[in-house]
Amino acid sequence: MIKTLIVYAHLLAACVAIGILLIQDLALAKSKGAPLSATAVKDLTKSAEIMFVALVLLWLSGLTLVLLGYLENPQQYLMNEKLWAKFTVVSVLTLNGIALHYFSFPRVTSRRGLLGLPTFEQILVVLTGALSSVSWLFACYLGIARPWNYTVDFSFVMFIYSGLLVGAFIVAGEVLRAMRRAEPEPPMLTEQIRLNASRKFD
């Protein structure tokens, strides 16, 4: 009974985190890199706080489930390489969450907006966002991928994870390029181009 409740809490935390993650990703995509409104910043801040609580709950419930599983089967439980792959992915998303909190979040919520940042910072922001989305989704998949228990190698799982990351990084880069192409030219730059063009005919 206790183990069932812990599994339920684990799944509930994962569902809440994934739901908030997808909603915020969609909201940021709709902003097209422009500065966020005060309401959007407030919503993003609240979502980040909920995500933090969900991550803590996932770690606590996950470690508890590992302990219970080990006590039930101390000979084989820790031999499950998929389990160690899941811990690796969750560790990556945790470290990335720190980067999001201290690096990406302050820049996305600044008055400059994403497209107002230097190019290098724009790239880091979208990469940390892509890494977060893939890591959360893949960690949840590993949680239900029971056929992989004791049947796949750690390297196989991480190879799949790496391939998904590469694909996500490419998509994130293309989205950023599309945002930058759609950004209107600064008025002064547009006026300078017109002046240069008119001088050719003087």
Side-chain angles (χ1 to χ4, degrees):
M1 180 65 177
I2 295 178
K3 184 176 180 179
T4 302
L5 291 175
I6 296 174
V7 171
Y8 178 71
H10 193 71
L11 293 176
L12 187 61
C15 290
V16 170
I18 290 295
I20 291 176
L21 178 69
L22 295 177
I23 290 173
Q24 289 303 320
D25 282 350
L26 181 61
L28 290 174
K30 287 184 176 180
S31 72
K32 298 181 180 180
L36 301 177
S37 65
T39 301
V41 172
K42 183 178 179 181
D43 291 341
L44 192 61
T45 303
K46 186 176 181 180
S47 297
E49 293 172 352
I50 297 174
M51 289 281 289
F52 174 76
V53 174
L55 182 59
V56 171
L57 182 57
L58 278 171
W59 270 108
L60 292 176
S61 57
L63 291 174
T64 303
L65 289 173
V66 169
L67 177 61
L68 293 176
Y70 175 75
L71 293 176
E72 292 175 358
N73 187 8
Q75 301 297 327
Q76 295 184 351
Y77 188 78
L78 297 181
M79 301 299 292
N80 183 7
E81 295 193 32
K82 190 209 77 173
L83 174 67
W84 295 110
K86 183 180 179 182
F87 267 112
T88 301
V89 173
V90 174
S91 297
V92 170
L93 73 85
T94 301
L95 293 174
N96 185 66
I98 296 174
L100 283 170
H101 180 75
Y102 289 104
F103 179 82
S104 300
F105 183 79
R107 285 161 175 77
V108 170
T109 57
S110 68
R111 293 182 180 180
R112 295 179 294 173
L114 176 62
L115 295 182
L117 301 174
T119 302
F120 181 69
E121 292 186 6
Q122 292 179 16
I123 294 173
L124 289 180
V125 168
V126 298
L127 289 185
T128 53
L131 178 59
S132 177
S133 298
V134 170
S135 298
W136 274 102
L137 290 170
F138 193 63
C140 289
Y141 173 77
L142 292 178
I144 63 171
R146 294 188 179 276
W148 282 8
N149 290 336
Y150 306 101
T151 61
V152 298
D153 296 331
F154 176 86
S155 58
F156 171 79
V157 180
M158 298 310 295
F159 176 77
I160 299 297
Y161 176 55
S162 299
L164 293 173
L165 284 179
V166 170
F169 290 161
I170 293 174
V171 171
E174 290 301 314
V175 170
L176 178 59
R177 287 179 59 187
M179 286 182 178
R180 295 175 68 177
R181 285 197 301 265
E183 184 183 18
E185 295 184 44
M188 291 183 64
L189 178 60
T190 304
E191 186 63 27
Q192 184 66 36
I193 292 174
R194 290 176 180 173
L195 288 174
N196 291 336
S198 63
R199 286 172 183 173
K200 292 181 180 180
F201 299 98
D202 290 344

